[in-house]
Amino acid sequence: MSTGKATLNMTAGTPLPLILRFCFPILLGNLMQQLYNMADAAVVGQFVGTGALAAVGATGSILFLVIGFVDGMCSGLCIPLARSFGAGDETTLRRCLAHAVYLAAFFAALLTVITSLLLGWLLQVMNTPADIFNDAFRYLRIVFLGIPATIFYNLTAGILRALGNSRTPLYFLIFASCLNILLDLILVLGFRLDVPGVALATVTSQLAAAFGCFLYIRRHYPMLRLSREEWTFTPSITLRMLLSGLPMALQYSITAVGSVLIQVAINNLGSLLVASVSAALKIHNIALLPFNTLGAAMATWCGQNMGAKNPDRIRAGVRCGMKIALVYSVIMGVLLFFAGKYMTLLFLRSADPDLPLLLENAQAFIRANCCCYVFLGTLTVYRFALQGLEYGPLAMVAGFFELAARSTIALVFAPVWGFAVIRFANPTAWVAACILLLPAYFTVMKKVRKKLQEHG
């Protein structure tokens, strides 16, 4: 199979160095992506004010609901590509690619229309504080109109990663991050566009990264150039792609619904607490990047080796993934427990009279989460392993466990104990998901081994 020089075949070689080699560019890319998200928050927090920071932060759970669906959908659509690549089946690879493009275009149009129509209602349902409502609305309106750009990038980057090329998306994300920071400064400080300015900068940067990945694929992957016959719409392939993409998308969205409920509970406590949690989440989200990266590696690893019909190699890779997750959980947990509070100063004004309270709340949130990263690492490894094995619906069910946990805290305990219990919502959800995912993975692996042995 002719491939680009950056392609990584994960069906042969020692698991640990292969996984780390695959993860490192994705991690740097995620850091770059997070960098321009942080740049948005830092610019509005330092140059516009705490209210603007709270407005952007209050949109986080809604963004997770929608953009999480997009990320999950594109990642899921690319799993059959990874499996076809592992099997050396170029024809099926190209046909799956065509249907991934069809479905991505459909969901881009659908989500843009739905989110544009429901935006005001969503913010009202979330009890967004009145003093930040308008800024939150303006920010989300621009980001949601840019959903096609987000899908464009996630699909093209996902295609490259399905083939083991995790380096190229990194290069374009580095460019996009630098562009985003530059545009933040120009639009906010130069043109005084405030919150809408950072949204415009984000969408423009994503579009630039998407075009970069697309042009790279066109030039370096001739095996992905489709013939007219391969563009033919086929219901059976569409169903396969949907069964891979939708569960992963819904898994993110189900998790996000729980986050929305938690955000509502936080919003009810006022914009000051919203700002505290927004700053804490910026640090928390950076800490989560290696977990997200490891998840992408597990999905590609399991997909390629499932195509190669090698269950022993699948197990070896998952074991390596768990070792990486455990080591990182301990190191990052200790770091954030002692230093997380000071990191949030990047997003908070030192002259703010409420700074001591803001820092106290941010520290409480960070510590409640970082002490439980081992559970997050565990659920990430096993959830994405199931996705890579194309058992997406089963992995999706774990999202309902997370939703139940977050909903219970938001609707039952938060009205009584407030922030004291809200900060433990994420750890509780992680534990709940692990209760399902651990036995599910080992049961599935028994089925996979038996199936592959029967079909030789």
Side-chain angles (χ1 to χ4, degrees):
M1 181 179 288
S2 58
T3 61
K5 62 181 180 180
T7 297
L8 181 63
N9 187 335
M10 304 178 81
T11 62
T14 305
L16 184 58
L18 277 173
I19 292 172
L20 291 176
R21 181 181 166 191
F22 182 80
C23 280
F24 188 66
I26 298 180
L27 176 58
L28 289 180
N30 286 339
L31 283 170
M32 291 297 104
Q33 197 163 26
Q34 195 64 40
L35 178 61
Y36 64 69
N37 290 334
M38 288 176 61
D40 292 348
V43 168
V44 297
Q46 297 292 340
F47 299 110
V48 183
T50 302
L53 173 63
V56 174
T59 66
S61 55
I62 297 180
L63 279 175
F64 184 29
L65 176 65
V66 178
I67 303 303
F69 183 94
V70 167
D71 290 346
M73 171 60 69
C74 293
S75 297
L77 289 177
C78 292
I79 287 173
L81 276 66
R83 186 166 176 176
S84 299
F85 176 78
D89 187 348
E90 288 193 17
T91 301
T92 302
L93 174 62
R94 287 191 292 270
R95 291 180 67 82
C96 287
L97 173 59
H99 287 73
V101 172
Y102 288 143
L103 291 171
F106 170 76
F107 281 104
L110 180 66
L111 288 173
T112 301
V113 172
I114 291 176
T115 54
S116 297
L117 293 176
L118 298 181
L119 175 54
W121 175 79
L122 283 171
L123 289 171
Q124 290 174 353
V125 167
M126 290 184 63
N127 294 329
T128 305
D131 56 335
I132 62 175
F133 186 95
N134 288 336
D135 278 342
F137 182 90
R138 292 189 298 162
Y139 180 80
L140 282 178
R141 179 172 57 186
I142 294 171
V143 172
F144 286 161
L145 288 174
I147 284 176
T150 304
I151 289 182
F152 186 14
Y153 169 72
N154 278 280
L155 182 64
T156 52
I159 292 167
L160 289 169
R161 289 169 183 157
L163 305 182
N165 183 349
S166 57
R167 285 190 292 166
T168 300
L170 165 64
Y171 302 146
F172 291 113
L173 265 181
I174 291 174
F175 167 75
S177 298
C178 295
L179 177 62
N180 184 82
I181 294 171
L182 178 63
L183 290 175
D184 273 342
L185 296 173
I186 292 174
L187 296 176
V188 174
L189 299 183
F191 289 90
R192 303 292 180 184
L193 293 181
D194 297 340
V195 172
V198 297
L200 283 170
T202 297
V203 172
T204 303
S205 302
Q206 285 183 329
L207 190 59
F211 271 110
C213 289
F214 173 74
L215 293 175
Y216 184 91
I217 291 171
R218 290 280 298 175
R219 179 175 180 179
H220 294 282
Y221 288 89
M223 69 171 181
L224 295 181
R225 294 173 186 169
L226 280 65
S227 65
R228 180 175 299 180
E229 292 75 17
E230 288 167 336
W231 280 106
T232 303
F233 181 81
T234 306
S236 60
I237 298 179
T238 302
L239 179 61
R240 179 188 177 186
M241 301 297 287
L242 283 173
L243 287 176
S244 181
L246 269 181
M248 203 162 180
L250 292 174
Q251 165 194 303
Y252 277 82
S253 294
I254 292 166
T255 302
V257 169
S259 298
V260 168
L261 293 175
I262 295 299
Q263 186 67 54
V264 171
I266 293 172
N267 289 348
N268 288 336
L269 299 176
S271 58
L272 189 64
L273 190 60
V274 172
S276 295
V277 175
S278 297
L281 280 173
K282 294 299 178 183
I283 304 302
H284 174 65
N285 289 338
I286 295 173
L288 298 192
L289 294 181
F291 292 123
N292 298 335
T293 301
L294 188 58
M298 288 296 98
T300 300
W301 178 275
C302 292
Q304 286 194 14
N305 285 287
M306 185 70 173
K309 300 180 179 180
N310 193 337
D312 291 332
R313 190 167 176 80
I314 293 172
R315 284 186 179 275
V318 171
R319 285 196 296 268
C320 284
M322 273 306 306
K323 292 176 182 177
I324 295 170
L326 291 174
V327 171
Y328 175 76
S329 297
V330 173
I331 294 174
M332 184 53 66
V334 171
L335 175 63
L336 290 188
F337 187 88
F338 292 104
K341 175 177 73 172
Y342 305 104
M343 296 178 185
T344 61
L345 287 171
L346 177 63
F347 309 103
L348 301 170
R349 280 181 170 178
S350 57
D352 194 315
D354 296 311
L355 184 62
L357 181 57
L358 288 167
L359 289 176
E360 180 183 346
N361 290 334
Q363 177 176 261
F365 184 89
I366 290 173
R367 286 185 170 179
N369 284 265
C370 72
C371 289
C372 298
Y373 280 166
V374 64
F375 298 109
L376 177 58
T378 301
L379 82 87
T380 299
V381 169
Y382 289 112
R383 168 179 281 164
F384 282 89
L386 288 170
Q387 294 285 0
L389 296 170
E390 295 195 43
Y391 279 80
L394 184 56
M396 181 183 69
V397 175
F400 286 105
F401 278 57
E402 291 186 77
L403 175 60
R406 288 191 174 95
S407 300
T408 301
I409 288 180
L411 301 176
V412 178
F413 296 112
V416 180
W417 288 293
F419 183 62
V421 70
I422 289 174
R423 59 199 174 106
F424 291 102
N426 286 331
T428 304
W430 300 336
V431 172
C434 287
I435 292 173
L436 171 70
L437 287 170
L438 285 169
Y441 166 76
F442 291 106
T443 300
V444 165
M445 280 307 302
K446 290 179 181 178
K447 293 181 179 179
V448 166
R449 180 181 291 278
K450 182 178 179 181
K451 178 181 178 181
L452 293 181
Q453 287 175 345
E454 290 175 351
H455 293 82

